[in-house]
Amino acid sequence: MAAWFCDQSADHSFLCMSIKQFAVDAERRPRTGWRILGYFVCWFALYGGVLYLVAGPEPTVVRNVIAHLVVVGAGVGVTAMFRCFVDRRRWRDIGLVAPDRRQLAFIAAGFAAGVTVVGLWFAVQLALGSAKVTGFELTERGVVGTTGVLAVGFLYYATSATTEEMAFRGYIFQNLRERLPMTWAVGLTGLLFASGHFIGGSAGPLHFAIGLLDFVLFSSLMILTRLRTGALWMAISFHAAWNWAQDYLFGVGVAGEDDYHNALVHVRLDGPSLLVGGPHNADTDLLTILLEVMLIIGYCWYTRARRPAEARS
């Protein structure tokens, strides 16, 4: 709009040129910040709007499943529109391409890693006495009912992980990466990712800071898997498995309260808040920070060690 206005001006005034330089880049596209802001607003409006309109304020399981599937389709559409018509860049550059056999192996590895890390977190909490098992969903629903709950829960988190990874580690990171040094692109992506989640809550500034660091580290790990595998699929499967295991396997999504709805293992967390997390997010704890740092270091070491072996073979 600014470029059109300036083209119609007869005298190209200083104000007109300033607006043009502020809003439009050399390729006559909105500048990076404006593109990301526009995408961010559209993505959040789409995500919340579709879930509310399709699922409703008191959703049934069927409506909830449909809403999550619609969100993925609409998210792909909005992202493709911004990438192809606003950025005027290739879709494949955001890392969401058809998975081949190699990417399927990364999907399996990401899922296994996500469940394992949350299981390790849970095991440490049990060993320290911070977590107490109060029951099991199998005794209440039986095998068929529990399997259904776990399957639907995984569908919820697989769809949300797909939309979040596509948005943050896909579109937003790629735009920042094309404009900024890698360190800045990684850090800003993590901060934007954190801003999209409720962290800290009423627990005070300390848990807010821990939660902020957690989301930045988690985002950095997901970016690392994208860069090392060449696609988003491992990040999507790890993200989905992490959330699914927290909420539907071990029920540790919220500290200081009973387990998450219909988790396989009914758990109550009663340890120190710095160990088990704040009252609104179990990720705002020091153990999660430690595990994420170990994951980043371990994954870097593993992938670097594999490269010489692959070169030799």
Side-chain angles (χ1 to χ4, degrees), residues 53-123:
L53 292 175
V54 178
E58 297 181 1
T60 63
V61 172
V62 174
R63 292 185 66 179
N64 220 343
V65 168
I66 294 173
H68 279 76
L69 293 175
V70 171
V71 164
V72 173
V76 170
V78 168
T79 305
M81 181 189 71
F82 267 84
R83 188 62 184 166
C84 297
F85 298 106
V86 180
D87 298 349
R88 301 204 294 273
R89 294 291 187 270
R90 297 186 307 172
W91 166 263
R92 65 177 294 110
D93 290 342
I94 72 170
L96 197 61
V97 295
D100 54 17
R101 183 177 300 180
R102 180 170 173 265
Q103 293 300 329
L104 291 175
F106 288 137
I107 290 173
F111 177 83
V115 173
T116 299
V117 172
V118 177
L120 179 60
W121 187 95
F122 178 64

Side-chain angles (χ1 to χ4, degrees), residues 157-172:
Y157 281 122
T159 54
S160 63
T162 300
T163 55
E164 288 188 16
E165 293 305 320
M166 176 175 58
F168 291 98
R169 264 66 67 178
Y171 182 84
I172 291 175

Side-chain angles (χ1 to χ4, degrees), residues 33-46:
W34 293 116
R35 298 199 305 271
I36 291 176
L37 178 61
Y39 177 79
F40 203 59
V41 171
C42 289
W43 185 85
F44 266 101
L46 173 76

Side-chain angles (χ1 to χ4, degrees), residues 16-312:
C16 181
M17 292 300 295
S18 298
I19 293 174
K20 185 175 180 179
Q21 293 176 0
F22 180 71
V24 182
D25 64 14
E27 299 180 59
R28 300 174 67 86
R29 305 177 303 166
R31 290 194 177 275
T32 302
W34 293 116
R35 298 199 305 271
I36 291 176
L37 178 61
Y39 177 79
F40 203 59
V41 171
C42 289
W43 185 85
F44 266 101
L46 173 76
Y47 196 92
V50 169
L51 287 180
Y52 182 80
L53 292 175
V54 178
E58 297 181 1
T60 63
V61 172
V62 174
R63 292 185 66 179
N64 220 343
V65 168
I66 294 173
H68 279 76
L69 293 175
V70 171
V71 164
V72 173
V76 170
V78 168
T79 305
M81 181 189 71
F82 267 84
R83 188 62 184 166
C84 297
F85 298 106
V86 180
D87 298 349
R88 301 204 294 273
R89 294 291 187 270
R90 297 186 307 172
W91 166 263
R92 65 177 294 110
D93 290 342
I94 72 170
L96 197 61
V97 295
D100 54 17
R101 183 177 300 180
R102 180 170 173 265
Q103 293 300 329
L104 291 175
F106 288 137
I107 290 173
F111 177 83
V115 173
T116 299
V117 172
V118 177
L120 179 60
W121 187 95
F122 178 64
V124 171
Q125 300 293 0
L126 281 178
L128 296 175
S130 301
K132 296 179 175 61
V133 176
T134 60
F136 300 91
E137 193 68 13
L138 282 169
T139 62
E140 298 184 9
R141 289 180 178 267
V143 175
V144 176
T146 302
T147 302
V149 169
L150 293 176
V152 171
F154 184 73
L155 177 63
Y156 290 162
Y157 281 122
T159 54
S160 63
T162 300
T163 55
E164 288 188 16
E165 293 305 320
M166 176 175 58
F168 291 98
R169 264 66 67 178
Y171 182 84
I172 291 175
F173 170 70
Q174 185 62 31
N175 268 279
L176 291 172
R177 180 188 183 189
E178 291 169 356
R179 182 69 178 84
L180 301 173
M182 181 64 74
T183 302
W184 280 94
V186 171
L188 287 174
T189 301
L191 291 175
L192 288 171
F193 179 62
S195 71
H197 293 76
F198 181 74
I199 55 176
S202 60
L206 179 58
H207 279 293
F208 181 87
I210 295 174
L212 182 65
L213 178 59
D214 162 61
F215 283 114
V216 171
L217 286 173
F218 186 90
S219 178
S220 300
L221 176 63
M222 296 301 96
I223 289 174
L224 181 62
T225 64
R226 179 199 153 170
L227 295 176
R228 294 298 173 89
T229 64
L232 287 171
W233 295 111
M234 187 175 187
I236 290 171
S237 64
F238 182 94
H239 191 164
W242 175 289
N243 288 343
W244 180 69
Q246 278 188 325
D247 289 349
Y248 279 90
L249 288 187
F250 303 111
V252 295
V254 179
E257 298 182 8
D258 292 336
D259 63 279
Y260 181 87
H261 298 301
N262 302 304
L264 180 64
V265 182
H266 296 190
V267 175
R268 184 171 183 81
L269 298 173
D270 289 319
S273 62
L274 288 179
L275 184 63
V276 301
H280 293 284
N281 198 318
D283 286 334
T284 58
D285 66 278
L286 297 178
L287 179 57
T288 298
I289 299 295
L290 176 61
L291 289 174
E292 287 169 338
V293 171
M294 292 173 62
L295 275 172
I296 292 172
I297 295 173
Y299 189 70
C300 287
W301 175 84
Y302 175 74
T303 52
R304 287 180 179 177
R306 280 182 59 88
R307 287 179 179 176
E310 291 174 350
R312 289 194 298 269

